[in-house]
Amino acid sequence: MLEPREGIPPVIADEAALAEAVAAFAAGRGPVAVDAERASGYRYGQRAYLVQLRREGAGTALIDPVACPDLSGLGEALSGVEWVLHAATQDLPCLREIGMRPSLLFDTELAGRLAGFPRVGLGAMVENVLGFVLEKGHSAVDWSTRPLPEPWLRYAALDVELLVDLRDALEKELDRQGKLDWARQEFDAIASAPPPEPRKDPWRRTSGMHKVRRRRQMAVVRELWEARDRIARRRDVSPGKVLSDAAIVEAALAMPANHHALGALNGFGQRVGRRQLEQWQAAVDRARSLSEDRLPQPGQQVAGPPPPRAWADKDPEAAARLTAARAGVNALAERLGMPAENLITPDTVRRVCWEPPAVAGEESVAAALTALGARAWQVEQVTPVLVAALAA
């Protein structure tokens, strides 16, 4: 499919055009296909730079959320309507920021996982289920570009062109497999989930952090990461365009004494001017001057069980339970034709195996799974497997 059925609609970039679109989509029929384009790798944060919608009776709309940053009126007009998204958890945060929150949704990627499709990207799903090939050449472009080129807009419109058709075909397949109610429980859980809590110590996720062992070096990573984040936020650019993770780790390991030594490290030479080098060196110097009690601790305190690789030493019985549980869950997932992580999250399995109920019967295990957020269908399917594993 090379062209949207009604052609490429004009981009909505003013309040009058937005009001017309809101009225049209409110009067439309059936589910509404929704997608959003971000500028990951180019801009700071994960805001939406284009929102695409399609609904029977309303056609396709392409909305510029930079020019129209408040889409709460559109969100309200579609309240109670089923929203069809592909990989909903990726787009929902940026949609929430502009006032769009679905009360009902259908996630075509998750539906594909539950139905057992080996490839669940939108292009692969549309091709395998509907027989159309979508051109996917613009997925990683800088969507903050203005004006947006016509080929990009064509790609964006095509992303929602067949989404409702895909939803309808997947609903039939899930119903045929006896999994439609399971999928609906999953979709309801996504729609009702609160926004995730901000990550504690996000600097610890710096790529290559495993090489950094000493607390003083960790402090260098933290100071450089936080300095980079401030600059990236102010410039509205991706942090990786300001300074790479590899350069941060390199500086932490080398602990350069001055900006000349820093400039000799990978990631700091060539295009980095003296003023910038001095700025980064100041971050290194701040870490170097910290007192011992202000240095970060080696490991982030994580609630819950330790990493599974440590179980054999810490609690051999728990390790045996986990091995049996994993084998049982994997076998069940294979019989049901879905990935094991969609049958039940690995973290849930670990927590039940590390601290099992005092009496590991069906009722107590089911209660433990429910308390950890498992849906009713997951509890029903997985409880017998875990009861057997805990008794092994």
Side-chain angles (χ1 to χ4, degrees):
M1 178 168 277
L2 300 176
E3 291 284 340
R5 280 169 277 198
E6 296 102 24
I8 305 171
V11 176
I12 294 167
D14 61 66
E15 293 303 318
L18 178 60
E20 287 182 19
V22 170
F25 276 83
R29 302 179 297 279
V32 57
V34 182
D35 191 23
E37 305 295 348
R38 300 177 298 281
S40 303
Y42 297 94
R43 295 287 182 175
Y44 186 87
Q46 294 295 315
R47 69 174 293 186
Y49 283 94
L50 187 70
V51 175
Q52 310 100 280
L53 303 98
R54 182 174 179 82
R55 193 181 188 195
E56 188 175 347
T60 297
L62 303 178
I63 304 175
D64 179 355
V66 177
C68 301
D70 182 6
L71 299 187
S72 56
L74 178 60
E76 289 166 11
L78 296 171
S79 178
V81 176
E82 182 186 82
W83 296 22
V84 184
L85 297 101
H86 192 81
T89 54
Q90 294 183 21
D91 286 340
L92 287 178
C94 70
L95 290 170
R96 284 195 198 101
E97 287 183 0
I98 52 178
M100 297 184 68
R101 297 173 180 82
S103 53
L104 295 168
L105 68 81
F106 189 107
D107 186 333
T108 49
E109 186 203 46
L110 182 51
R113 291 181 183 278
L114 295 175
F117 285 88
R119 296 166 61 223
V120 293
L122 180 59
M125 293 288 289
V126 167
E127 185 173 353
N128 292 339
V129 178
L130 301 178
F132 286 97
V133 177
L134 292 179
E135 191 263 314
K136 298 293 290 181
H138 302 297
S139 59
V141 297
D142 180 2
W143 287 95
S144 68
T145 301
R146 293 296 183 272
L148 286 164
E150 183 177 290
W152 300 11
L153 296 175
R154 181 182 297 108
Y155 159 88
L158 287 171
D159 261 5
V160 291
E161 183 78 13
L162 297 170
L163 212 45
V164 173
D165 301 277
L166 179 61
R167 171 237 179 270
D168 293 343
L170 288 171
E171 182 179 61
K172 289 178 182 174
E173 178 61 22
L174 288 167
D175 191 34
R176 185 188 71 79
Q177 294 185 22
K179 299 175 181 174
L180 184 55
D181 181 59
W182 301 359
R184 286 174 176 155
Q185 290 181 43
E186 292 298 299
F187 302 155
D188 288 346
I190 293 172
S192 61
E197 293 287 328
R199 281 201 177 99
K200 185 182 178 184
D201 293 345
W203 58 270
R204 291 184 185 270
R205 295 176 62 84
T206 302
S207 181
M209 188 70 193
H210 63 281
K211 301 175 188 174
V212 182
R213 303 290 186 187
R214 298 175 184 169
R215 293 174 63 201
R216 184 78 55 187
Q217 293 173 332
M218 291 179 185
V220 173
V221 173
R222 182 177 64 187
E223 292 293 337
L224 284 170
W225 190 99
E226 291 177 350
R228 179 184 71 173
D229 192 67
R230 289 191 296 271
I231 295 167
R233 184 189 294 271
R234 187 177 71 244
R235 294 183 187 170
D236 189 19
V237 296
S238 168
K241 288 190 173 296
V242 176
L243 187 68
S244 71
D245 280 10
I248 289 177
V249 170
E250 182 101 357
L253 295 176
M255 296 287 289
N258 52 54
H259 74 270
H260 297 294
L262 181 67
L265 300 178
N266 288 333
F268 290 95
Q270 297 175 344
R271 296 191 305 274
V272 180
R274 174 170 176 162
R275 186 179 170 194
Q276 288 176 296
L277 282 175
E278 290 175 345
Q279 174 180 251
W280 299 128
Q281 184 62 40
V284 175
D285 292 342
R286 283 195 299 274
R288 193 192 295 278
S289 66
L290 288 174
S291 59
E292 286 289 326
D293 62 317
R294 294 181 62 196
L295 296 177
Q297 293 302 315
Q300 190 175 14
Q301 295 299 314
V302 179
R309 62 180 178 273
W311 286 30
D313 292 331
K314 290 178 178 289
D315 189 338
E317 290 185 6
R321 291 193 293 264
L322 182 60
T323 299
R326 282 173 164 173
V329 167
N330 288 338
L332 177 58
E334 191 170 339
R335 288 199 301 275
L336 294 175
M338 68 173 68
E341 63 268 22
N342 291 113
L343 173 59
I344 191 74
T345 68
D347 182 66
T348 298
V349 175
R350 286 195 294 268
R351 287 172 184 267
V352 172
C353 289
W354 184 252
E355 293 184 355
V359 179
E362 296 229 347
E363 189 174 328
S364 61
V365 170
L369 289 172
T370 302
L372 290 167
R375 266 67 74 189
W377 76 271
Q378 294 175 312
V379 173
E380 181 183 356
Q381 293 296 320
V382 173
T383 293
V385 173
L386 291 187
V387 169
L390 296 176

